[in-house]
Amino acid sequence: GDEVDYSVEDIRVCPDEGYAVIGSIWENMQGSNFGFMMKTDSDGNPLWANLDTPDFLAKLVLMPLSKLQREIL
């Protein structure tokens, strides 16, 4: 079957007490690797998510918290 692996790289608390989650997704059948960023509410319920290239993920991991918060709000 289709195998998809998720890996969380970082979780940060946002000013609204929700969370910013960044990580990667590997789709084994297609050999594709994507970075993702997801915003949740304070209970961890997903509000939105974006997929991008792994380079995008590397930039987010290194991004200062204040800049990351501006990116997701």
Side-chain angles (χ1 to χ4, degrees), residues 4-73:
V4 178
D5 293 319
Y6 296 88
S7 175
V8 173
E9 301 294 330
D10 198 7
I11 300 173
R12 302 207 184 167
V13 178
C14 299
D16 66 357
E17 298 182 7
Y19 300 93
V21 182
I22 57 174
S24 60
I25 299 171
W26 173 257
E27 295 179 330
N28 199 22
M29 286 293 287
Q30 296 180 356
S32 300
N33 189 24
F34 299 95
F36 74 86
M37 184 161 117
M38 177 173 63
K39 174 73 170 77
T40 74
D41 64 17
S42 60
D43 293 323
N45 299 308
L47 299 175
W48 55 261
N50 288 324
L51 287 177
D52 211 315
T53 64
D55 290 340
F56 170 77
L57 172 65
K59 290 177 200 169
L60 288 175
V61 169
L62 299 174
M63 188 179 292
L65 179 58
S66 59
K67 184 168 171 53
L68 178 61
Q69 289 170 342
R70 286 193 303 271
E71 290 285 323
I72 62 171
L73 295 178

